[in-house]
Amino acid sequence: MKKRIVVLLTLLLTLTLAGTALANIEDQMKDMVQTYLDENGHDYEYDDDVFTLKLAIGSALEYADVGIFIYDDMLAVIADAPVQVSEENFEKMAVFTTLANNEIFYGQFRVDREYGYVSCRSCNLVEDVIPGENELFYLVGMPLEYLETYGDGIAAVCEGGDPYEAFNACLAAMDE
């Protein structure tokens, strides 16, 4: 009986410490993101483990709405393009984003069928080590860079353009 009580108490203590450690990781990531945004002069809002801000990009898209999400085991960045894809052009955008995803490594383009939003997402899973400022720089920067690089193509496809031509135009612009 005593052994069972000791085992149960040990298990309870372990779970309590694990929960505290996870909360601590979230707080550390929140502080790191907040410091990063403050040091870089970004205006942002923070609510319920999500930082939201608007950042300029140099393409037809002009800006992106950025969300930085803090989870207990992940830090994720989603940059939404300020365009919506019509149902008529959804399949074309799906082709375009698939072509672009084959060329990029630190993010992933997505297109939402229900609302037509195009976004680029990056994330860093957190197990034992919290990402540093360098990782955060790339987590935030790469989706924005990808939206900038492929933004003219996204805008062209939203207007009904051919996804293959738009993609090739983006690749040609990168080579200039």
Side-chain angles (χ1 to χ4, degrees), residues 106-142:
Y106 298 106
Q108 172 194 24
F109 278 107
R110 301 185 304 180
V111 59
D112 179 275
R113 180 166 219 129
E114 185 175 351
Y115 299 106
Y117 293 111
V118 179
S119 63
C120 190
R121 177 180 186 259
S122 67
C123 65
N124 188 330
L125 296 175
V126 178
E127 291 183 19
D128 295 327
V129 179
I130 297 172
E133 189 174 325
N134 196 38
E135 288 88 1
L136 185 58
F137 173 79
Y138 286 103
L139 279 171
V140 174
M142 294 313 294

Side-chain angles (χ1 to χ4, degrees), residues 30 44-52 68-70:
K30 176 194 169 276
Y44 60 88
E45 293 182 19
Y46 177 78
D47 185 36
D48 198 27
D49 293 330
V50 179
F51 290 89
T52 55
I68 302 172
F69 299 83
I70 298 172

Side-chain angles (χ1 to χ4, degrees), residues 83-110:
V83 294
Q84 283 186 294
V85 181
S86 66
E87 182 62 35
E88 174 183 319
N89 293 322
F90 177 82
E91 295 299 326
K92 291 179 182 181
M93 186 59 73
V95 169
F96 180 85
T97 56
T98 299
L99 292 168
N101 281 337
N102 284 325
E103 296 294 319
I104 63 178
F105 301 102
Y106 298 106
Q108 172 194 24
F109 278 107
R110 301 185 304 180

